[in-house]
Amino acid sequence: MPHSFCNPLRYCARPVSSWRCLLKPIAAARVCPEETHYRIDKSLVKLSEAVAEEELWAAACLRVRTFYDFDPAAFRAQDHRNYLAEREFEALKERIAGKREGFRRVSCINATLPLSHVMNASDDLCAYCKFVENGCERVVVGSLDINNCHRLPDEIAGKKPEGIGADFARAYISNVCVAKELQRNGLAHALIMESKVVAQKWGISDLYVHVAVNNIPARNLYMKSGFIFESDEPAWQARFRERPRRLLLWAGLPVNYKL
């Protein structure tokens, strides 16, 4: 899945072989400080785990749209955009199907709106992130993954819970994104709270998220959502991976013993 998105790579036309980001399957959160003037009717927002491939494709497209900056004048920019979406789509399906080593369970949680409600926000968003559900056209406007695993690749691991069975009760949030036109509508917070509900159903007791030190809006979002600081990435590791240093935030969840 996408990649080091707290400080997204600036896109330019370059050979596929040089896209180092394609080698990293999981992205930390991306929450931008940009203001938006487009307000939504929150009663029309649907938060749910994606199952249909068409919705997963729309989520993959939103992530590429959010995590990369494309130069429209770049040679074959649209082809590159589609290529990245296909890579993300296939990796997402693989993880959800349980085919990615190290991941016990993965779910893609999306925020969607009726197409008619966001048509005035962005033609590109509607065209690129649209899918059909029960005969109705909807648009994925926010997305994240919840990953039940011991640790995420290339990231520091959480410390809770300890001992035997820790892998069963620990999960990480990743790939948090919201369409830039619709930020400041509370969609990211709603997605995170929904991920907590899903995690609790899985029997997760300790939920984690990585965030770049310099991503103040994302840090504030997670603190508002009940996360607290647990540890931070060593500076040498961040330099080695050529990215901003990460913080690891933790939130404890009530365990549903009936499940």
Side-chain angles (χ1 to χ4, degrees):
M1 233 186 211
H3 322 307
S4 196
F5 298 136
C6 289
N7 183 19
L9 299 176
R10 292 289 169 181
Y11 178 84
C12 61
R14 57 181 123 174
V16 170
S17 60
S18 69
W19 294 349
R20 294 183 60 195
C21 56
L22 293 179
L23 303 177
K24 298 183 179 181
I26 295 292
R30 170 82 187 277
V31 180
C32 299
E34 301 174 21
E35 295 289 344
T36 178
H37 300 288
Y38 194 86
R39 311 309 297 174
I40 63 173
D41 181 348
K42 295 182 181 180
S43 68
L44 298 178
V45 177
K46 178 182 176 182
L47 299 167
S48 61
E49 296 179 75
V51 177
E53 287 197 358
E54 189 176 4
E55 183 178 348
L56 291 175
W57 170 256
C61 290
L62 177 67
R63 294 172 186 190
V64 171
R65 187 178 186 270
T66 304
F67 297 147
Y68 294 88
D69 292 327
F70 289 89
D71 178 0
F75 176 65
R76 298 182 65 184
Q78 188 58 48
D79 289 343
H80 293 163
R81 187 181 188 182
N82 290 339
Y83 175 81
L84 291 170
E86 288 170 3
R87 288 290 297 265
E88 167 62 10
F89 175 59
E90 293 301 327
L92 180 56
K93 287 196 300 178
E94 215 175 74
R95 289 195 301 277
I96 291 175
K99 297 179 180 179
R100 185 62 65 89
E101 184 178 356
F103 291 83
R104 295 191 64 252
R105 190 171 184 178
V106 176
S107 182
C108 169
I109 301 174
N110 291 332
T112 68
L113 281 166
L115 175 65
S116 58
H117 188 60
V118 292
M119 289 182 67
N120 294 329
S122 168
D123 292 339
D124 177 74
L125 174 66
C126 292
Y128 201 51
C129 305
K130 179 179 65 175
F131 69 102
V132 177
E133 180 182 67
N134 298 324
C136 299
E137 293 182 312
R138 299 187 69 85
V139 178
V140 175
V141 295
S143 185
L144 63 74
D145 292 336
I146 178 169
N147 310 272
N148 180 204
C149 56
H150 175 68
R151 65 183 301 159
L152 294 182
D154 300 331
E155 300 285 6
I156 51 177
K159 300 176 182 178
K160 303 182 183 69
E162 298 179 347
I164 299 174
D167 291 5
F168 292 86
R170 182 186 304 164
Y172 298 83
I173 294 173
S174 64
N175 293 317
V176 183
C177 64
V178 172
K180 59 182 181 295
E181 298 89 349
L182 304 181
Q183 291 178 3
R184 306 300 186 189
N185 276 292
L187 291 171
H189 178 70
L191 282 165
I192 292 166
M193 300 312 290
E194 181 66 18
S195 74
K196 287 187 173 186
V197 173
V198 172
Q200 189 177 359
K201 290 179 180 178
W202 290 0
I204 299 299
S205 62
D206 298 273
L207 189 61
Y208 285 95
V209 66
H210 298 88
V211 62
V213 171
N214 60 358
N215 194 338
I216 303 302
R219 289 170 60 181
N220 291 339
L221 167 67
Y222 293 123
M223 297 295 183
K224 175 183 175 183
S225 303
F227 286 82
I228 61 174
F229 172 84
E230 180 176 285
S231 61
D232 55 357
E233 182 179 35
W236 68 264
Q237 183 171 311
R239 288 195 298 270
F240 176 76
R241 303 202 180 281
E242 299 181 349
R243 68 186 186 194
R245 191 164 56 88
R246 309 292 184 94
L247 301 179
L248 181 62
L249 307 182
W250 166 85
L253 302 179
V255 178
N256 190 339
Y257 291 103
K258 294 181 180 180
L259 295 177

